Amino acid sequence: MDRKLAIETKEVMDNLDQKNIGIKQKEKKRFNLRNRIDRLSESSTAKLYIFPTNAVLILAILFPLLYALFLSLTKVEFAQGNLEYTFVGVNNFLEMFRDPRIPKILIQTLTFTLISVVGTVAIGFGIALTIHHGAWGAGLFKRLFLLPWALSNVVNGLMWQWMYSGNNGIINEILSKLGFIDGYKMWLVEEATAMGALIFADIWKSTPFAALLLLAALQTVPKDLYEASKVDGAGAFTQFTKIVLPTIKPVILVVLVTQTMWTLRVFDLIWVLTQGGPMDSTMTLNIYAYENAFRSFNIGYGSALAYVITFITLIFTFIYIRLLGKEN
Amino acid sequence: MKKNGFKLFLTVFSIFVFLLAGCSSSSESSGGSEDEREVNILYIGDPEFWENQAKEFEEETGIEVNYESVPFGQLHDNMFTVFSGGSSDYDVVHVRDDWATEFASMGFLEPLDEYVTEELKSEFPESSFEALSHDGSLYGFPRYTWLWQYYYNKDVFTQAGIENVPETWDELVETSKIIQEEVDGMYGYAEAYGQRFAVTPFIVHLRAEGGQFWDYEKDLPKFNSSEGVNALQFMQDMNLKHKVLHPLSFEFSGTGPLAEVFAQGQFAMSVATPNIPLMSNDPAISKVTGQIEAALIPGSADKSAGYAETGGMAIPANSKNKDEAFEFIKFATSAEQEKKMALETGNIPLNLTALNDSEVIEKYPHFGFVDEQLKYTKGLFKHEKTTEIQDEVARFVVEAVNGKKSPEDALKEAEESVLKILNK
Amino acid sequence: MKKLITTLISISLIIYILFPFFWLVISSFKVPEELFQKPPTWFPEKGTIEYYVDIIKSEDFQTALLNSLIVASFSTIISLILGTIAAYAFARLKFRGKNMFFLTILCTQMLPQMALLIPLFVLMRTTGLLYTHTGLIFASVTFSLPYVVWMFRSFIVSVPYDIEEAARLDGCTKLEAIIKMVVPLSLPGFVTTGIFVFIGAWNEFLFASIMSNSDTKTLPVRIAEYIGEERVAYELMFPTGVLATIPVLILVLIFQRYIIQGLTDGSVK
C-alpha cells in the first residue's frame, strides 16, 4: 500500500506490455477490455457498477414499497375470498388524528427509541473504548461482546421473558438477594416497570453492533494524532472529545441512523415480552401497526401507520445529519 | 488476472448458484397430477400425534399427504397472510369457533354442508356444529373441545380441612380464605388475566351471573349490563377485597402458563382449560401429580357457567383438493382416530363414541364431568372482528380487576370502544 | 485510580453482556422440573444433556440447520458482491442524481417489516419462488443490500482517494488501483459488513415463517414452534437456541481477529 507496491505493479504492467507487442495493434485495442473500461466516462462506469444492485432493489423492494403505499391509501375489505380495495386517499392518515390511543403510543415510541438509542451508543462506546484501550478483561471481552447480536430474536425474547418472570425469574432472585427489592416483582406486567424492562433488554441486544462499528472506527484514528496532542499537554478526556470524536463522526452518524431505524422497527422483543401492554404502556407504533393489520384486519390503517414510522425515521435522519454536519 | 474477467465469472457463478438453489429445494405443490391424489394439511407439529395421524391416513388410503407445521402462535396470522395472498396451498386447516367465523365471513372457507351426511352428524353433539357455523352454513368440522372446567387440589383441601367442594362463587371465596389461613404460602385461586386474554375469564363470570357477552341478533355488545358489572366487581373483589387471587394471574397470558404454575402447587383452585390436568399429571414438570380433581364450574345466578373452544378442521375456499380434504376430515374424526387422539394428546374428543369409551374415561376421569358441563356451556364469542373486540375488551377488564378503573367505568368505556369498532 | 475506574467499568460491562447468555446456557441443561423451581437454582442440580442429544439427532433440527446455512451463506455472498460494487460507485464516482438515489436506497430500509409482509408474499407467489430456498435468499438479499451499500460506502470514504491516484500515476488502470489499493484497506469493513449480513439472514424470523415450509424452514422458525398450544417447551427451546447460535459464534470468532488486528498502525497514509 505504498510506493513499493506501486513500483511492483508497474513492473508487472511493463512485462505484460512486452508480451502484447507481438499482437497486431488493432486486435490489441479491441480485445483489451481493461483499457476499454478504463476509458469509459465516470458516469457510465458508475452505472455499470450499480446496475445489478438497482435491478434487485427495484424489483424486490420498490414493488412491495409501492404496493404498501397503495394499501395505506385504501380501505381493504374481504368479500368472497377476494380483497376489495376502496380508495380513500389520505383518510387512513387522518384517522390517526382521531384515534385516541395515538398520542400515548407516539410518546412511548419516542421515549423507547431515544432512551434505547442513547443507551446503546453510550454502552457501545464503553465497550469499544474498553477493548481499544486494553482495560482489564479486554482480551476476553474482545471475543465475546458480539454474543447478544448473534442470538436469534425469538430466543432473545423468550430468554428475557424467562429472566423477568415474576414466578422464578433470575433477575428477581438477584435483586431480592441483594436487597434492592422486597419480593419478586412482575416486571413486565406493572406499568411502572414494563417500559424500563424492555429498554434494558433492547439495549442489551443492540449494543454489540454499535460497539463493533465504533471499535472499527476507533482503530482508524491515527496514532500520531494522539502523540501530537499529548505533547501539547492534552489529557485523556480532551483527546477523546477533540480528536477521536471528530475523526469518527461519519461512523457515529451511521450508528445513530441505523440504531434509530431498527429501534423504531423493533417487533419481536416487544411482542413476546409485553405485546404492547400493560394497558398500552409499552405500545409502540410498530406493534400498533401490526395489531391493526393482522389482528383487526385493518390493512389500510396498518400500512399507513407503517409509513408514518418511515417518515419519523427520515426526520431523525435529517436531524442527525444537521447535528453532525456531514454531507450525505 | 483482470477484474472484469473475475467479475464476469462471479456473475455467472451467482446465477448458476441461484438456479441450483432453486432447483434443489422443493417447489410449491400445484394441484397435483391426474393420477396422484394429494392433500395438504396445515397445523402444528407438537405433539407428534397430528403428523403421525396424517401419515397413517396416507398409508391407508394412498392419498399423498403433505403436512405443514407452524408454531401455534403463528397459525392464525399465517393463515390470514396466506389467504390474503390468494394462495391455494392448503386443503385442510385448523379452526376454532372464532377463526371459523372470521375467515368464513371473509370468504376464505368452503361451506361443508354438502359433504356432511346425517349419519356423520349424529356422531357428534349438535352444539359442536353450531360453534363452527356462520350465517347458516357449516364451515368447520368439529374434532375436539377445549372445555373449561373447575379444578382443585384435593390434597390441599384435605390439609385445610375442607370437605365440600364449593358450588357457588361465594363459597369458592370462603374456601379460598380458609385455605390461605390453614396452609402456609398457598393461594386460594388464580385466573389468567394476561393483557389480551382477560376477556375469557370475564365471560365465564358473566355467564355465571346470568349475563351474556353479545347480542347476536342485533349484533351489539351486551356485556355492559348489571350482570356484567356484578361479574367484574366480583373479579375485582377477589383480587383487592378478599385477596384470594394469586398475583401472578396478571402474568398469565393464557391458561398454559397458569397451568404450569398450578402444577408447581402455588395455588389450590382454578377455572381453566384441560391444560391443567395435562400438565399437573405430567411427572416431568409437576409437583402435584394425582392431586387434581375436577368438578362443575361454580355458579351464581345459574347452577354453572361454561366456556368451551371447539377445535375443528376447515377447507379453504381456494383448495384444489376438496374431496381428498374431506376424506381426511372423515378419517380424523372417526371414533377410532378420536379415541387415539384422546389417549395420546389429552384433548377431549367430540366424537361421542370415543368420548364414552371406557379406556378413555379410565385415563381421564375428569372427562366424566364433560357431559354435564357441556349442558351449561356456550361456545367462544364468535364474530367477524373477534380478535379485535376481544383484545379491546380484555384491556379494560384488566384495568378493572387491578383496581385502576371501577367496573362500571371499565365496561362503559369498553362498550364505547367496541361500538366504534363495529362502525368502522 | 483511573485504572480502578476503568477496570470496574470493564467488569460491569462484561457482566451485563455475558450474564443473560450465561443464564441461557445454564437453563439449557436443566430438566423441566428444575426449570420451574422457585427460587431458581444457580447450577443445575439434576443437569442433563439428554435434550441436547435429542435435538441434535432429530431430523427437524438438522434440516432447519442446513436451511439456515444455505439461506444465510448465499444471501451474504450475493449481497456483498452486488453491494460493495455499488458502494464504491456511490463513494467515488459522480453521476446525476447520486444523492437522491442513495437516499431512496436508505428509505427502503426504514419501512417496518410488517408492511412488506403481504406484498412480498404476493411477489413470491407470482414468481413461483414461494417456499423455495431461492425465494428466501432473494428476500434476504433485498433486506441486506441497502445496508451493504450504506455501510460499505462509509468504509470506502475513509480510505483516502490519494492512494488510488498515486497508484494510477504509477501506471495502474482504475480497476487495478482499486483491487490493489482500496480492497486491502477496506477489507475489515468488508468483513464487518459480511458478518452483519450473515447474522441478519441467520436470525430473520417474520418472513421466514411465512415463506418457508417444512422443507425450507430455517432455525428461528423451528425454535418458535416450541411455543406450543399449551406450554412453552423451555427445556427444548433453550438448548436449540444455544445450538443455533454456535455457527454464528464460530464465524464471529474466526473473523473477529481479522477485524481487530487488521488495522494496526495508521496505514492510512
Side-chain angles (χ1 to χ4, degrees):
Chain A
M1 23 221 119
D2 41 30
R3 295 215 73 82
K4 184 163 172 254
L5 192 51
I7 293 170
E8 281 177 47
T9 317
K10 185 167 176 1
E11 282 175 356
V12 170
M13 303 300 179
D14 286 342
N15 284 339
L16 279 171
D17 279 338
Q18 294 283 355
K19 285 180 186 159
N20 281 336
I21 286 176
I23 308 174
K24 287 184 205 160
Q25 287 287 354
K26 256 194 191 171
E27 284 174 27
K28 184 169 154 194
K29 268 199 183 135
R30 235 196 350 252
F31 291 127
N32 208 330
L33 273 174
R34 191 162 45 95
N35 285 344
R36 256 243 182 119
I37 293 188
D38 191 44
R39 263 185 267 126
L40 281 174
S41 68
E42 277 213 322
S43 198
S44 317
T45 315
K47 293 208 183 93
L48 183 73
Y49 283 175
I50 63 181
F51 172 69
T53 312
N54 270 11
V56 171
L57 284 175
I58 288 178
L59 177 63
I61 289 219
L62 217 54
F63 159 66
L65 206 70
L66 292 173
Y67 184 67
L69 181 63
F70 163 68
L71 284 178
S72 72
L73 299 172
T74 63
K75 189 175 167 68
V76 183
E77 261 147 4
F78 302 89
Q80 313 312 93
N82 291 319
L83 276 75
E84 277 182 2
Y85 305 100
T86 325
F87 189 75
V88 292
V90 291
N91 211 20
N92 285 327
F93 291 95
L94 290 178
E95 179 65 30
M96 283 179 227
F97 289 104
R98 288 181 289 215
D99 191 336
R101 284 165 83 177
I102 287 283
K104 181 168 183 187
I105 294 178
L106 207 55
I107 295 178
Q108 250 140 237
T109 308
L110 291 173
T111 315
F112 178 72
T113 308
L114 279 169
I115 301 184
S116 209
V117 171
V118 169
T120 304
V121 174
I123 297 194
F125 247 125
I127 297 178
L129 288 168
T130 308
I131 298 181
H132 185 65
H133 289 294
W136 186 91
L140 174 74
F141 212 0
K142 186 156 75 175
R143 283 167 180 63
L144 297 175
F145 79 94
L146 285 178
L147 273 174
W149 185 32
L151 205 58
S152 140
N153 277 343
V154 181
V155 181
N156 184 45
L158 288 159
M159 177 185 79
W160 280 99
Q161 188 184 55
W162 181 243
M163 290 199 294
Y164 277 129
S165 161
N167 184 30
N168 57 359
I170 192 69
I171 291 183
N172 271 320
E173 175 68 357
I174 295 177
L175 288 178
S176 68
K177 281 271 152 56
L178 286 178
F180 286 124
I181 55 176
D182 279 328
Y184 278 24
K185 275 182 169 308
M186 296 196 290
W187 303 95
L188 299 172
V189 170
E190 280 167 45
E191 269 185 88
T193 55
M195 181 60 103
L198 268 182
I199 294 180
F200 191 71
D202 187 63
I203 293 181
W204 184 83
K205 187 80 171 68
S206 323
T207 191
F209 181 72
L212 182 65
L213 284 188
L214 290 170
L215 183 59
L218 279 178
Q219 297 186 314
T220 63
V221 178
K223 283 235 168 90
D224 25 354
L225 281 182
Y226 282 110
E227 319 264 313
S229 69
K230 232 193 215 152
V231 168
D232 290 341
F237 187 67
T238 328
Q239 277 183 338
F240 186 68
T241 45
K242 294 258 179 326
I243 298 173
V244 177
L245 282 184
T247 315
I248 60 176
K249 241 202 239 184
V251 180
I252 296 186
L253 182 63
V254 170
V255 173
L256 279 174
V257 172
T258 49
Q259 284 308 128
T260 308
M261 226 184 332
W262 293 341
T263 311
L264 279 166
R265 286 169 36 160
V266 165
F267 180 75
D268 298 317
L269 190 70
I270 304 184
W271 190 253
V272 170
L273 291 185
T274 60
Q275 296 190 350
M279 283 164 264
D280 269 6
S281 61
T282 59
M283 182 69 83
T284 60
L285 274 176
N286 198 20
I287 304 283
Y288 194 53
Y290 181 86
E291 209 184 75
N292 271 289
F294 288 91
R295 289 180 80 91
S296 311
F297 304 131
N298 287 332
I299 300 188
Y301 190 43
S303 301
L305 285 166
Y307 263 93
V308 170
I309 298 179
T310 314
F311 294 147
I312 295 182
T313 315
L314 269 172
I315 295 176
F316 269 108
T317 307
F318 284 134
I319 295 179
Y320 291 141
I321 293 181
R322 275 290 162 76
L323 279 178
L324 297 187
K326 202 91 175 92
E327 80 284 356
N328 236 359
Chain B
M1 166 141 107
K2 309 292 179 282
K3 179 154 189 199
N4 26 290
F6 185 53
K7 209 159 71 163
L8 185 63
F9 167 68
L10 275 180
T11 323
V12 172
F13 178 68
S14 325
I15 296 176
F16 176 68
V17 145
F18 248 122
L19 292 174
L20 195 67
C23 292
S24 66
S25 59
S26 67
S27 48
E28 82 183 90
S29 53
S30 44
S33 48
E34 298 88 65
D35 292 47
E36 276 175 43
R37 304 168 70 198
E38 62 165 21
V39 68
N40 302 292
I41 307 175
L42 176 69
Y43 195 29
I44 55 180
D46 175 48
E48 280 180 8
F49 169 78
W50 308 114
E51 221 173 315
N52 292 338
Q53 182 183 57
K55 287 202 192 102
E56 228 186 287
F57 176 72
E58 188 176 39
E59 278 163 19
E60 263 189 41
T61 62
I63 300 179
E64 189 186 326
V65 169
N66 298 317
Y67 191 91
E68 276 312 315
S69 65
V70 289
F72 180 75
Q74 296 294 110
L75 200 54
H76 173 267
D77 296 351
N78 259 33
M79 285 202 283
F80 175 66
T81 311
V82 163
F83 291 152
S84 313
S87 137
S88 61
D89 297 323
Y90 299 114
D91 306 308
V92 177
V93 294
H94 172 82
V95 287
R96 321 189 309 201
D97 320 27
D98 45 359
W99 296 0
T101 307
E102 259 182 357
F103 290 138
S105 70
M106 295 193 245
F108 289 144
L109 298 179
E110 177 81 8
L112 299 176
D113 306 280
E114 283 180 13
Y115 292 96
V116 179
T117 61
E118 279 308 310
E119 192 196 323
L120 202 54
K121 251 192 163 185
S122 66
E123 292 181 37
F124 298 85
E126 183 66 36
S127 56
S128 55
F129 288 107
E130 258 177 56
L132 295 171
S133 302
H134 170 71
D135 232 9
S137 295
L138 180 70
Y139 286 98
F141 201 92
R143 187 187 226 178
Y144 61 79
T145 175
W146 201 233
L147 178 70
W148 283 51
Q149 288 183 286
Y150 163 62
Y151 298 98
Y152 62 95
N153 186 325
K154 68 172 187 289
D155 282 15
V156 171
F157 271 31
T158 319
Q159 235 184 321
I162 297 176
E163 287 174 3
N164 297 320
V165 176
E167 287 178 19
T168 69
W169 284 102
D170 288 326
E171 281 174 28
L172 186 138
V173 169
E174 288 313 309
T175 314
S176 302
K177 287 189 180 158
I178 298 176
I179 291 178
Q180 288 181 191
E181 257 186 57
E182 301 291 322
V183 183
D184 250 346
M186 174 73 62
Y187 268 94
Y189 188 72
E191 269 183 344
Y193 289 137
Q195 168 77 352
R196 284 168 202 268
F197 192 80
V199 70
T200 310
F202 170 62
I203 293 182
V204 174
H205 285 272
L206 177 62
R207 287 176 181 171
E209 296 289 331
Q212 267 183 52
F213 188 76
W214 200 264
D215 183 338
Y216 285 101
E217 265 153 58
K218 299 202 202 111
D219 197 32
L220 284 175
K222 217 172 163 196
F223 53 79
N224 187 15
S225 55
S226 59
E227 293 94 353
V229 172
N230 286 344
L232 203 48
Q233 184 68 59
F234 182 78
M235 286 159 74
Q236 189 189 67
D237 288 343
M238 272 206 298
N239 182 26
L240 300 173
K241 189 160 127 190
H242 306 296
K243 300 202 197 332
V244 298
L245 183 76
H246 197 294
L248 278 179
S249 299
F250 294 98
E251 246 190 34
F252 297 145
S253 54
T255 53
L258 178 142
E260 266 173 6
V261 178
F262 194 53
Q264 295 303 302
Q266 288 193 29
F267 48 89
M269 305 180 274
S270 188
V271 172
T273 63
N275 269 331
I276 291 193
L278 277 172
M279 283 197 228
S280 307
N281 291 326
D282 181 353
I285 57 177
S286 168
K287 288 200 163 78
V288 298
T289 36
Q291 299 171 16
I292 307 301
E293 298 219 333
L296 216 54
I297 296 180
S300 189
D302 243 355
K303 178 176 178 192
S304 178
Y307 191 84
E309 174 190 315
T310 310
M313 293 172 278
I315 304 181
N318 283 344
S319 156
K320 295 204 173 92
N321 299 301
K322 297 190 181 138
D323 292 329
E324 288 80 359
F326 198 75
E327 263 195 61
F328 178 78
I329 293 180
K330 265 200 336 204
F331 169 78
T333 54
S334 63
E336 187 194 325
Q337 284 297 318
E338 289 262 296
K339 172 173 164 178
K340 267 196 195 163
M341 173 189 77
L343 291 173
E344 278 186 47
T345 67
N347 279 325
I348 303 177
L350 278 171
N351 181 305
L352 293 165
T353 319
L355 183 58
N356 293 312
D357 183 283
S358 51
E359 264 182 71
V360 169
I361 299 210
E362 193 189 317
K363 184 165 184 195
Y364 302 109
H366 58 273
F367 279 16
F369 284 98
V370 170
D371 260 342
E372 215 197 323
Q373 190 69 68
L374 276 175
K375 289 200 203 111
Y376 296 98
T377 295
K378 299 177 193 100
L380 247 52
F381 162 58
K382 298 190 304 177
H383 195 271
E384 288 159 13
K385 294 189 187 279
T386 211
T387 316
E388 194 178 352
I389 294 176
Q390 290 199 309
D391 278 358
E392 195 60 19
V393 178
R395 292 191 314 134
F396 291 102
V397 168
V398 173
E399 283 187 337
V401 178
N402 62 29
K404 295 250 161 60
K405 279 203 165 84
S406 74
E408 291 89 2
D409 285 342
L411 286 180
K412 206 173 78 161
E413 287 174 36
E415 188 184 48
E416 277 169 20
S417 203
V418 172
L419 286 172
K420 253 187 66 185
I421 294 176
L422 291 176
N423 286 335
K424 273 204 183 127
Chain C
M1 187 58 209
K2 191 169 95 164
K3 197 130 202 211
L4 184 64
I5 297 183
T6 52
T7 308
L8 278 175
I9 294 181
S10 178
I11 294 182
S12 345
L13 286 175
I14 294 181
I15 293 181
Y16 178 52
I17 296 293
L18 293 187
F19 181 75
F21 202 68
F22 159 77
W23 188 241
L24 177 69
V25 173
I26 292 279
S27 304
S28 70
F29 287 108
K30 289 185 178 172
V31 288
E33 200 188 318
E34 195 176 345
L35 278 173
F36 290 114
Q37 211 157 310
K38 171 182 181 168
T41 56
W42 279 90
F43 283 99
E45 279 158 25
K46 299 191 200 134
T48 174
I49 60 167
E50 76 173 88
Y51 291 108
Y52 271 102
V53 172
D54 282 344
I55 292 169
I56 296 180
K57 285 205 272 187
S58 86
E59 206 183 302
D60 274 342
F61 174 75
Q62 291 168 2
T63 316
L65 182 64
L66 186 65
N67 288 330
S68 280
L69 275 171
I70 294 178
V71 174
S73 312
F74 283 118
S75 305
T76 308
I77 296 174
I78 297 173
S79 306
L80 281 178
I81 294 174
L82 295 180
T84 51
I85 298 175
Y88 183 82
F90 278 110
R92 293 287 193 243
L93 307 173
K94 300 189 206 347
F95 53 93
R96 217 157 33 113
K98 171 162 116 166
N99 284 346
M100 203 55 235
F101 190 62
F102 190 60
L103 199 59
T104 315
I105 288 189
L106 206 60
C107 282
T108 60
Q109 286 309 290
M110 294 183 183
L111 197 69
Q113 284 182 312
M114 43 82 36
L116 298 174
L117 208 54
I118 295 185
L120 212 59
F121 180 79
V122 171
L123 184 65
M124 290 288 141
R125 266 211 113 249
T126 47
T127 54
L129 287 176
L130 199 61
Y131 306 140
T132 62
H133 285 123
T134 316
L136 285 171
I137 295 174
F138 186 65
S140 260
V141 169
T142 60
F143 294 136
S144 328
L145 208 45
Y147 284 124
V148 176
V149 174
W150 165 253
M151 275 176 59
F152 197 62
R153 178 191 157 278
S154 71
F155 281 108
I156 295 200
V157 160
S158 65
V159 175
Y161 193 51
D162 326 3
I163 291 193
E164 285 176 70
E165 289 196 321
R168 291 214 65 185
L169 285 174
D170 289 339
C172 295
T173 62
K174 201 166 178 52
L175 290 165
E176 281 161 352
I178 297 174
I179 305 176
K180 295 195 162 55
M181 299 298 158
V182 179
V183 168
L185 280 178
S186 56
L187 209 44
F190 186 80
V191 171
T192 308
T193 313
I195 292 185
F196 168 80
V197 171
F198 187 84
I199 294 185
W202 184 264
N203 286 337
E204 204 283 317
F205 172 70
L206 200 59
F207 286 91
S209 70
I210 298 280
M211 291 187 223
S212 65
N213 60 10
S214 338
D215 295 321
T216 53
K217 200 175 294 189
T218 57
L219 276 173
V221 183
R222 179 77 197 93
I223 292 176
E225 282 185 5
Y226 289 126
I227 306 174
E229 197 168 351
E230 304 154 15
R231 61 179 293 258
V232 180
Y234 292 110
E235 72 279 2
L236 287 169
M237 201 216 327
F238 290 145
T240 314
V242 173
L243 287 171
T245 318
I246 292 181
V248 173
L249 279 179
I250 295 178
L251 204 74
V252 161
L253 282 174
I254 295 177
F255 286 102
Q256 198 159 8
R257 272 180 287 148
Y258 204 128
I259 304 174
I260 295 181
Q261 290 168 7
L263 300 167
T264 35
D265 27 48
S267 53
V268 184
K269 284 204 171 79

